[in-house]
């Protein structure tokens, strides 16, 4: 049974700010949901024109301000470097438009909290693309935990391994804390890992102990690098479950290796984002590799948009995230679609990033439930 979650009753009119790789992913997802791509803005008008052509938008905007003056635009996707997210997303909300803001929401937990407060006060839809929640088999794992099939959970662990920054000659704007923020690997991908662990289990990391490493002090552009290439984190959850997290952007051979391993009293659930149509279910008899099938829990089947045996992937998950965001806009005022990641989840990621940085700095365990007073600048 497949249900198409991408077509919506009303076609939202969309603006995109930013012209990089992620803006292409957002544009594909917006179009998949039936949106009209009205305008694209970038740092320069030449960049905006190139993005307009690449994304197939109706027009190029000379600036964020010019795009936001277009009253026909319902929702704006923010796809710019990290340090600009909070300012632009705030301007979008103040212009009375719904917003999809790339993660991280901001480069500090305090700024993320202010932005989430603004979104809450506005009443507008404000979502963050923690898109790995939208793989059907992730929803299946969550349904098994929620139904009690997994039983009491003993350990919750995972990893997120990439290799696109493995060589000293590899470089990116994220390496520079002025553009990416004080944390790089953890803020960029460790945030996805923690989000999926807390989402699937319904549990929360209560405290953590982290170590960070920067393996290349000098890269082709950035010298004296201070942002981390990898993180190793011990975690304890509010339920008492414990686990380990490994996050790295210098792990050769791994391209987008987000995995989780949740060991419960009745079964173990293991998932690898690079083979997202499978869920590994462990028992005394060994591991069963459960394929995406026609017998998934309803909350998982909702995201099966092609029959079993036709692999779904990252863009499908992204399409489902954007479709649920637009559904929240179309059903404005009703309850949000189950599992839609909002700015509150963006704050959670910022709080965890803040805790990871603090723990690495003090060399010990820190509270990870909320922004620590230590983490707040003096009032
Ligand atoms: C780079 O690490 C990146 O594009 C992240 O920024 C995304 O959030 C992740 O989904 C894929 O890798």
């Amino acid at each position: 049974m497949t249900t198409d979650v991408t077509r919506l009753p009303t076609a939202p009119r969309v603006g995109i700010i930013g012209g990089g790789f992620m803006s292409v992913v957002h544009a594909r997802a917006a179009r998949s949901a039936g949106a009209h791509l009205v305008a694209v803005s970038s740092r320069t008008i030449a960049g905006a024109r190139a993005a307009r052509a690449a994304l197939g938008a109706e027009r190029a905007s000379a600036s964020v301000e010019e795009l936001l003056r277009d009253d026909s635009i319902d929702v704006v996707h923010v796809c710019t470097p990290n340090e600009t997210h909070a300012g632009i997303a705030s301007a979008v909300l103040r212009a009375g438009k719904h917003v999809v803001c790339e993660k991280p929401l901001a480069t500090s937990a305090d700024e993320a909290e202010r932005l989430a407060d603004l979104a809450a006060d506005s009443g507008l839809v404000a979502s963050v693309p923690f898109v790995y929640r939208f793989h059907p088999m992730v929803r299946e794992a969550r349904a098994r935990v929620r139904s009690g099939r997994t039983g009491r959970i003993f350990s919750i662990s995972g990893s997120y391994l990439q290799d696109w920054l493995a060589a000293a000659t590899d470089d990116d704007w994220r390496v520079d804390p002025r553009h990416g923020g004080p944390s790089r690997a953890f803020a960029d991908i460790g945030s996805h890992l923690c989000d999926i662990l807390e989402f699937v289990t319904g549990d929360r990391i209560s405290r953590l102990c982290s170590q960070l490493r920067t393996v290349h002090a000098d890269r082709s552009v950035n010298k004296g690098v201070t942002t981390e290439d990898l993180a190793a984190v011990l975690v304890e959850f509010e339920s008492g479950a414990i686990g380990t997290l490994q996050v790295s952007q210098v792990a050769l051979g791994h391209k987008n290796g987000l995995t989780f391993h949740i060991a419960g009293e009745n079964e173990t659930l293991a998932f690898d984002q690079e083979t997202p149509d499978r869920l590994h279910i462990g028992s005394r008899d060994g591991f069963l590799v459960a394929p995406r099938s026609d017998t998934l829990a309803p909350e998982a089947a909702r995201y099966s948009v092609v029959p079993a045996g036709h692999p779904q992937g990252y863009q499908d998950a992204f399409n489902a995230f954007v479709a649920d965001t637009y559904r929240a806009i179309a059903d404005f005022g009703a309850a949000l679609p189950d599992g839609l990641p909002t700015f509150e989840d963006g704050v959670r990621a910022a709080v965890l990033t803040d805790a990871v940085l603090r723990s690495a700095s003090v060399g010990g365990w820190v509270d990870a439930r909320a922004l620590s007073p230590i983490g707040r600048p003096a009032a």
Side-chain angles (χ1 to χ4, degrees), residues 112-127:
E113 285 196 330
R114 284 195 297 275
L115 183 57
D117 289 346
L118 177 63
D121 293 345
S122 74
L124 293 162
V125 174
S127 65

Side-chain angles (χ1 to χ4, degrees), residues 21-22 103 132 160 162 164 174 188-189 192 249 256 314:
F21 151 66
M22 285 312 295
K103 42 156 284 293
Y132 299 110
Y160 200 150
Q162 300 175 331
W164 64 289
R174 291 176 179 82
D188 187 20
I189 57 176
H192 277 299
Q249 294 179 316
N256 202 34
Y314 172 79

Side-chain angles (χ1 to χ4, degrees), residues 77-90:
H77 293 238
V78 181
C79 307
T80 53
N82 296 354
E83 89 276 13
T84 66
H85 289 175
I88 294 174
S90 299

Side-chain angles (χ1 to χ4, degrees), residues 4-367:
D4 185 346
V5 296
T6 57
R7 287 286 163 196
L8 292 173
T10 56
R13 293 177 57 83
V14 170
I16 291 186
I17 299 173
F21 151 66
M22 285 312 295
S23 63
V24 175
V25 174
H26 280 254
R28 280 197 208 108
R31 215 171 255 112
S32 166
H36 292 294
L37 201 44
V38 174
V40 183
S41 87
S42 188
R43 270 182 295 219
T44 63
I45 186 59
R49 287 187 183 122
R52 189 214 62 75
L55 304 185
E58 292 169 10
R59 61 182 176 80
S61 283
S63 67
V64 171
E65 294 72 19
E66 197 263 350
L67 184 145
L68 295 180
R69 281 195 294 271
D70 183 337
D71 291 338
S72 78
I73 291 176
D74 304 304
V75 51
V76 176
H77 293 238
V78 181
C79 307
T80 53
N82 296 354
E83 89 276 13
T84 66
H85 289 175
I88 294 174
S90 299
V92 173
L93 290 165
R94 289 196 174 95
K97 300 181 188 302
H98 304 284
V99 61
V100 178
C101 183
E102 261 298 332
K103 42 156 284 293
L105 272 190
T107 52
S108 77
D110 237 29
E111 199 177 32
E113 285 196 330
R114 284 195 297 275
L115 183 57
D117 289 346
L118 177 63
D121 293 345
S122 74
L124 293 162
V125 174
S127 65
V128 182
F130 286 118
V131 295
Y132 299 110
R133 297 183 176 194
F134 291 82
H135 284 306
M137 299 315 279
V138 171
R139 297 289 173 124
E140 181 69 7
R142 180 175 178 245
R144 293 179 79 103
V145 171
R146 294 172 92 179
S147 70
R149 281 183 76 168
T150 306
R152 180 161 60 97
I153 293 177
F154 302 140
S155 65
I156 304 168
S157 292
S159 59
Y160 200 150
L161 306 178
Q162 300 175 331
D163 66 5
W164 64 289
L165 288 170
T169 49
D170 296 324
D171 215 329
D172 185 76
W173 56 262
R174 291 176 179 82
V175 175
D176 183 341
R178 292 169 300 176
H179 301 306
S183 164
R184 180 195 356 125
F186 188 86
D188 187 20
I189 57 176
S191 54
H192 277 299
L193 175 56
C194 292
D195 178 74
I196 206 167
L197 293 179
E198 293 191 340
F199 178 68
V200 169
T201 62
D203 208 338
R204 302 278 270 185
I205 296 169
S206 54
R207 66 183 190 131
L208 60 82
C209 183
S210 72
Q211 283 199 297
L212 306 179
R213 286 291 181 273
T214 300
V215 299
H216 297 308
D218 294 325
R219 291 182 174 270
S220 53
V221 173
N222 289 285
K223 310 299 180 190
V225 175
T226 60
T227 55
E228 79 282 2
D229 293 308
L230 65 151
V233 188
L234 276 176
V235 288
E236 182 175 290
F237 288 77
E238 288 177 354
S239 67
I242 58 174
T244 58
L245 312 183
Q246 189 189 4
V247 175
S248 175
Q249 294 179 316
V250 293
L252 286 172
H254 294 279
K255 301 310 173 186
N256 202 34
L258 169 61
T259 69
F260 65 68
H261 184 282
I262 297 165
E265 194 161 13
N266 305 331
E267 63 184 13
T268 289
L269 299 174
F271 175 80
D272 181 344
Q273 193 284 138
E274 292 186 353
T275 53
D277 262 1
R278 296 174 186 160
L279 181 64
H280 300 255
I281 301 170
S283 69
R284 280 271 200 204
D285 303 328
F287 267 93
L288 162 74
V289 180
R292 180 169 58 86
S293 70
D294 299 334
T295 58
L296 298 182
E299 60 261 51
R302 181 166 182 271
Y303 297 104
S304 279
V305 293
V306 287
H310 301 69
Q312 291 188 198
Y314 172 79
Q315 188 70 53
D316 296 296
F318 215 103
N319 294 355
F321 157 71
V322 169
D324 271 7
T325 297
Y326 293 175
R327 184 171 308 281
I329 293 169
D331 301 344
F332 188 48
L336 293 177
D338 173 40
L340 182 69
T342 68
F343 277 18
E344 291 306 320
D345 300 292
V347 171
R348 178 63 183 151
V351 167
L352 287 165
T353 300
D354 172 76
V356 162
L357 291 172
R358 271 188 295 117
S359 171
S361 167
V362 301
W365 288 89
V366 299
D367 188 289

